[in-house]
Amino acid sequence: MNTILLQNLVNPNVNLPIVLPEMIVALTGVIVMLYDSFVPRQRSVTGAISLIGLAISAFFLVSMWNDAPQTGWNGMIASDGLRLSFTIVFLLVSAVTILISSVWADNEDVPIGEYHALLLFATFGMMFMASGNDLVIIFLGLETLSIATYVMAGLRRGDLKSNESAMKYFILGSFASAFLLYGMALIYGATGSTNITEIALKVANPNFPALLLVGGAMMIVGFGFKVATVPFHVWTPDVYEGAPTPVTAFMAVGSKSAAFASFLRVFVLGFPLIAGVQASEFLHESWVTALSVMAILTMTVGNIAAILQDNVKRMLAYSSIAHAGYAMVGFIGAGMAKNMQQRDAAIAAVAFYMLTYAVTNLGAFAIVTLLGQKNDRRTAFEDYNGIGFRAPALAFTLSLFMLSLLGLPLTAGFMGKVMVFRPALEANNLLLTVMVIAAAVNTAISAYYYLRLIVVMFFRERTTDWLAPRIPTALTAALLITVLGVLYFGIFSDGVIEKFSKSSVGTVFKAGTRP
Amino acid sequence: MATTALFFVFAGLAIACAISMVYHKNPLYSAISLIGVFVSLSVLYVTLAAPFIAAVQILIYAGAIMVLVVFVIMLLNMEEDKPLNRLRYLYAIGGGLGLILLVQTFFVFYAVMRAPKQAVNTEETIGKTMSIGTAMYTEYLLPVEIVGILLLMAIIGGVILVRKLSQPQMESMVERELERRHEGEDKDDYRIAL
Amino acid sequence: MEPSLASYLALSGILFTIGAVGVIFKRNAIGMFMCIELMLNAVNLTFVAFSRYYADVTGQLFVFMVMSVAAAEAAVGLGIIISFFRNRVSVDVDDASILKN
């Protein structure tokens, strides 16, 4: 019988402080579930508990902000600039979603305690996607987020559209996860490890160079689905339209940012360009080219399809596809960075873009939730006819969000785009420059459908009766936060960018040196 | 020698069961074929010196997941698939995807065949339960805890999706179903699965 | 002669292909779900094969995690399918066309 001597055990390197934010979010989820089991259907109490939990988690995260980049749990968790900036975005998204959902909970019969718990566990998964430095953690975080979102999309159980949306999302989401997992298996095979930093080192002399390429391609398919880039975007409009609007807001903003975080972690930090090694150069060039082409297609298809839509939720869905394309520009800029400062600046730019995109989209979806009424009956463009002067506060706020999505100067959207295009231009590469030009052209095209909503609200005659809805307190809070965010990030973005530009774990090998 | 024989027999069985699963229209036949795939894979794991994973494969996949699937098939009283009247382009996509993946499989096979061989150490005890257990509680402690939360959340999600509808939800569903059908036209067809 | 790493990878690739094609061709949701399970099993086989090759327990631990995730996904997915069925009489995927394609 084999016996294990205690000194033969590997040190698990338990490092609770580094994962404290995630643990607090999970604990809050459990507390919410416990409370809900004793006193069901207390919307305000479970909402308040969730918000307090998220706030405490954010507090601990911010207290870690000035520490040097470090890894923990045997290299599985990395606490660096990427993790900190993205996690703040996730916590903000989650908090505002809870505020937006209050409208939904008031109007319809929703199991609100469980919904809040699911939201918190989804946030838990998202946070691990950002902080995971190992393929296992990234996969588990991704699945936690995805499974929670499948359930939340189908939560309006009496509604056929919601059921259909959940089922489509589930089937296509699992399909994509299988591709992602296959890619992870091949990368493990090619390099012998699942840890991102070790993979980055092993790319210099992989055991099976061909498997790196195939694995990378499969992972692009998997991540491409989650981020909703063309050609893997077909699920987005249907799923976003059918799900209840607060859940759509969460999916459009939260899932996408989390997918970007892990996408960045694996590709920019895991597959660096090591000059002089043929395998690494080929791999790097392949993924940069593939993603550039995908980015151009994504922006174009997203914008053109959005022009043709008659339903506001579908229009916002296609708009979110286009925005993912813009964010990819920054991503590729990070991939082409020539030294660590540029790379970290580019990662910070993508995180900042996600922040501005989050704030704007959450606000837009909040208003769509309110105006959509029970079961999202009223989400077509006609339902927005002429409400401009009858509910000026709402209409002007929605116009502000549309302008920010378009990218008008002084709004957050503009600063986000500027930040994200800069790393791509600095790379001095033909394909990247073409990509930035395409992005600029697409921004101009997108003016059509963003301005169309504003025109419809203010300058169309309404044929049916309409009473301005009363805005509940929680939604007012959400709108205040998002409007302030849009204006603040538009005007005072420098401070935020500087806060986000901390260094990331992992090294980039400068051209001409070998490890 | 024995390993090779086992590999070819059970690999063939796995592929045959997989094709049978995709081919059959009756969901119950597909489910049984899938169980066949799982059992063959389990034997293949044994040839790869991973006895713990082989046992867990039978327990979880064949024993839990497939039982749940068969249960749901019976509960929903599923019939056979009707003949396809699908849009043509789906055939093209499916065929194209299959072709690409097959080419990729051969590419992987060829690449790995050509690479210099590393001798496989047949004395290693990696697959034994003790070594997996050790790793699970030392190196891989964090993933195991995350899986715990994942399973908790899946339970919550599963239950709230399948719970009986509350009265207001049921009423609104009935209302909408009535709106959907024309008045008086489909009275005989009036069925709502509860 | 032992079956080499390449043979296991080829087998897993073939199973993955069959699963992927199955997801596209199957008409009913449970069938699609079963094909996805087949794909996940193919990936598991890849992991175990590499784990044997490298004599590294990482691969097998990953397989264990994938199995747990597959179980969780099965629970939730079948719940969604039941919920979908409650509102209609069939689980025919082609009927799911209220949302425009």
Side-chain angles (χ1 to χ4, degrees):
Chain A
M1 197 55 220
N2 299 337
T3 50
I4 306 179
L5 297 172
L6 273 179
Q7 53 253 42
N8 287 345
L9 290 176
V10 172
N11 181 4
N13 202 354
V14 173
N15 185 351
L16 273 182
I18 210 180
V19 289
L20 200 53
E22 284 91 349
M23 293 299 138
I24 292 179
V25 171
L27 190 62
T28 316
V30 172
I31 293 178
V32 165
M33 276 306 297
L34 280 176
Y35 184 84
D36 189 67
S37 69
F38 289 118
V39 192
R41 307 265 158 146
Q42 298 282 305
R43 166 182 63 84
S44 350
V45 180
T46 50
I49 299 178
S50 323
L51 287 173
I52 293 175
L54 288 170
I56 297 179
S57 176
F59 168 74
F60 279 111
L61 189 76
V62 169
S63 73
M64 274 191 219
W65 205 278
N66 294 318
D67 296 343
Q70 47 172 320
T71 59
W73 295 89
N74 272 324
M76 284 202 187
I77 298 284
S79 180
D80 56 4
L82 203 162
R83 180 233 188 158
L84 295 168
S85 27
F86 272 99
T87 312
I88 281 288
V89 176
F90 300 153
L91 291 172
L92 177 69
V93 168
S94 204
V96 177
T97 309
I98 291 179
L99 290 172
I100 297 178
S101 322
S102 64
V103 174
W104 182 34
D106 280 341
N107 289 348
E108 298 173 40
D109 193 23
V110 174
I112 200 67
E114 285 95 342
Y115 170 72
H116 284 143
L118 281 174
L119 205 55
L120 287 169
F121 290 136
T123 315
F124 173 80
M126 292 201 291
M127 288 161 84
F128 271 116
M129 281 173 85
S131 62
N133 198 34
D134 190 305
L135 293 175
V136 178
I137 305 280
I138 290 179
F139 174 68
L140 288 176
L142 178 69
E143 285 303 316
T144 312
L145 169 66
S146 302
I147 293 180
T149 328
Y150 302 154
V151 177
M152 290 196 290
L155 213 50
R156 211 179 250 154
R157 282 188 299 155
D159 183 10
L160 298 170
K161 282 166 59 167
S162 180
N163 288 336
E164 194 184 317
S165 143
M167 202 177 76
K168 278 191 176 160
Y169 192 23
F170 166 66
I171 296 281
L172 293 174
S174 309
F175 190 51
S177 286
F179 273 89
L180 180 67
L181 202 58
Y182 194 46
M184 287 182 176
L186 291 175
I187 299 289
Y188 168 63
T191 53
S193 161
T194 50
N195 190 314
I196 305 273
T197 15
E198 280 178 36
I199 292 177
L201 290 173
K202 257 313 217 155
V203 164
N205 59 335
N207 292 332
F208 299 109
L211 292 189
L212 269 182
L213 276 170
V214 180
M218 291 274 119
M219 289 185 84
I220 288 184
V221 171
F223 277 126
F225 173 90
K226 299 293 176 188
V227 170
T229 53
V230 164
F232 314 114
H233 70 290
V234 263
W235 60 277
T236 309
D238 294 340
V239 172
Y240 282 15
E241 190 195 347
T245 317
V247 177
T248 311
F250 185 73
M251 285 196 287
V253 178
S255 295
K256 216 179 277 269
S257 317
F260 261 111
S262 41
F263 207 175
L264 270 174
R265 175 81 68 184
V266 173
F267 278 81
V268 172
L269 297 175
F271 297 147
L273 175 64
I274 303 178
V277 176
Q278 194 206 13
S280 151
E281 281 177 357
F282 193 50
L283 175 67
H284 187 258
E285 194 192 310
S286 316
W287 75 255
V288 166
T289 317
L291 287 184
S292 307
V293 172
M294 275 168 62
I296 298 178
L297 283 175
T298 309
M299 294 186 265
T300 320
V301 168
N303 276 320
I304 295 184
I307 294 180
L308 306 168
Q309 297 306 316
D310 276 327
N311 180 309
V312 172
K313 279 173 84 173
R314 279 183 92 89
M315 183 271 277
L316 286 174
Y318 277 111
S319 136
S320 77
I321 295 178
H323 277 271
Y326 301 139
M328 296 275 278
V329 175
F331 184 144
I332 298 168
M336 293 290 284
K338 296 188 186 47
N339 56 34
M340 277 171 63
Q341 282 80 15
Q342 275 187 351
R343 185 197 68 189
D344 295 330
I347 292 180
V350 176
F352 181 70
Y353 191 82
M354 284 293 131
L355 181 63
T356 61
Y357 166 74
V359 167
T360 317
N361 260 22
L362 284 172
F365 275 114
I367 299 185
V368 171
T369 315
L370 184 63
L371 295 176
Q373 295 177 11
K374 191 166 155 149
N375 288 326
D376 287 332
R377 281 181 306 197
R378 305 262 170 261
T379 51
F381 267 94
E382 291 98 44
D383 298 313
Y384 286 72
N385 276 349
I387 64 178
F389 298 110
R390 296 197 215 186
L394 281 178
F396 277 109
T397 322
L398 189 56
S399 314
L400 175 65
F401 292 132
M402 289 295 121
L403 293 175
S404 175
L405 279 174
L406 169 56
L408 218 62
L410 277 195
T411 57
F414 175 70
M415 283 316 296
K417 288 206 167 99
V418 163
M419 288 291 137
V420 124
F421 292 163
R422 197 197 300 166
L425 284 174
E426 279 176 0
N428 271 333
N429 178 314
L430 180 61
L431 185 56
L432 265 61
T433 321
V434 166
M435 194 168 58
V436 175
I437 296 176
V441 168
N442 272 303
T443 311
I445 297 179
S446 69
Y448 173 74
Y449 56 88
Y450 291 131
L451 294 179
R452 181 181 163 201
L453 188 59
I454 302 182
V455 163
V456 157
M457 279 197 297
F458 285 103
F459 299 117
R460 284 278 166 81
E461 284 298 313
R462 195 181 181 90
T463 48
T464 53
D465 266 337
W466 189 76
L467 274 175
R470 189 188 68 84
I471 311 180
T473 341
L475 199 77
T476 321
L479 286 176
L480 265 175
I481 295 177
T482 45
V483 167
L484 280 175
V486 166
L487 294 172
Y488 180 75
F489 296 133
I491 306 178
F492 301 112
S493 62
D494 288 339
V496 182
I497 294 273
E498 199 193 302
K499 282 265 157 44
F500 278 5
S501 303
K502 291 179 48 60
S503 42
S504 303
V505 163
T507 48
V508 161
F509 295 92
K510 281 192 248 188
T513 62
R514 293 200 69 146
Chain B
M1 188 53 221
T3 326
T4 320
L6 273 177
F7 173 77
F8 279 109
V9 167
F10 283 97
L13 192 60
I15 295 181
C17 286
I19 295 182
S20 146
M21 180 199 90
V22 172
Y23 168 75
H24 274 122
K25 309 239 183 337
N26 186 330
L28 212 47
Y29 291 167
S30 300
I32 305 291
S33 317
L34 193 59
I35 297 182
V37 175
F38 290 156
V39 173
S40 338
L41 281 181
S42 185
V43 176
L44 288 172
Y45 291 152
V46 172
T47 67
L48 279 171
F52 178 74
I53 297 288
V56 169
Q57 162 97 354
I58 300 269
L59 282 174
I60 293 187
Y61 270 116
I65 296 183
M66 288 319 290
V67 166
L68 191 59
V69 169
V70 169
F71 205 96
V72 169
I73 293 177
M74 293 302 196
L75 183 71
L76 298 182
N77 212 2
M78 278 187 188
E79 305 143 356
E80 307 217 343
D81 282 344
K82 293 178 276 294
L84 293 163
N85 55 357
R86 263 246 170 121
L87 306 154
R88 285 305 164 95
Y89 72 83
L90 233 54
Y91 284 118
I93 292 182
L97 181 65
L99 208 59
I100 294 176
L101 286 175
L102 263 177
V103 166
Q104 179 185 293
T105 307
F106 285 131
F107 177 64
V108 165
F109 178 69
Y110 178 64
V112 172
M113 282 294 268
R114 274 191 48 197
K117 285 208 195 315
Q118 171 180 322
V120 175
N121 183 352
T122 49
E123 294 299 317
E124 278 297 331
T125 55
I126 287 299
K128 296 210 169 147
T129 312
M130 170 133 59
S131 92
I132 292 195
T134 318
M136 223 189 281
Y137 285 98
T138 54
E139 279 175 68
Y140 281 81
L141 186 55
L142 186 61
V144 169
E145 301 302 327
I146 299 179
V147 165
I149 299 276
L150 173 77
L151 290 172
L152 170 67
M153 185 201 66
I155 293 174
I156 297 174
V159 168
I160 63 177
L161 278 177
V162 178
R163 221 160 39 178
K164 263 179 78 77
L165 291 176
S166 63
Q167 195 57 20
Q169 276 184 336
M170 204 126 74
E171 282 171 5
S172 73
M173 202 180 82
V174 170
E175 205 180 281
R176 223 165 309 119
E177 190 64 24
L178 281 176
E179 272 172 34
R180 207 167 69 83
R181 300 158 194 255
H182 300 293
E183 295 291 59
E185 188 175 321
D186 288 326
K187 271 283 157 58
D188 295 331
D189 252 4
Y190 185 75
R191 280 184 291 182
I192 293 196
L194 288 175
Chain C
M1 196 276 289
E2 272 215 355
S4 63
L5 174 65
S7 347
Y8 284 103
L9 291 186
L11 172 65
S12 105
I14 294 177
L15 287 177
F16 190 82
T17 313
I18 296 177
V21 169
V23 169
I24 299 185
F25 281 161
K26 280 251 169 219
R27 250 170 84 94
N28 95 43
I30 296 239
M32 288 178 159
F33 171 69
M34 290 196 286
C35 292
I36 292 175
E37 289 299 320
L38 180 61
M39 288 165 79
L40 289 178
N41 270 281
V43 176
N44 282 352
L45 184 61
T46 312
F47 267 116
V48 177
F50 279 125
S51 170
R52 167 80 164 151
Y53 179 78
Y54 284 114
D56 182 12
V57 81
T58 306
Q60 294 186 18
L61 250 304
F62 210 132
V63 167
F64 193 75
M65 304 296 154
V66 171
M67 282 193 199
S68 324
V69 166
E73 223 170 61
V76 163
L78 292 171
I80 290 177
I81 292 177
I82 291 183
S83 176
F84 185 76
F85 176 73
R86 280 222 175 106
N87 292 347
R88 10 173 123 244
V89 184
S90 77
V91 272
D92 198 335
V93 173
D94 279 351
D95 276 352
S97 54
I98 292 187
L99 300 167
K100 279 185 308 207
N101 261 344

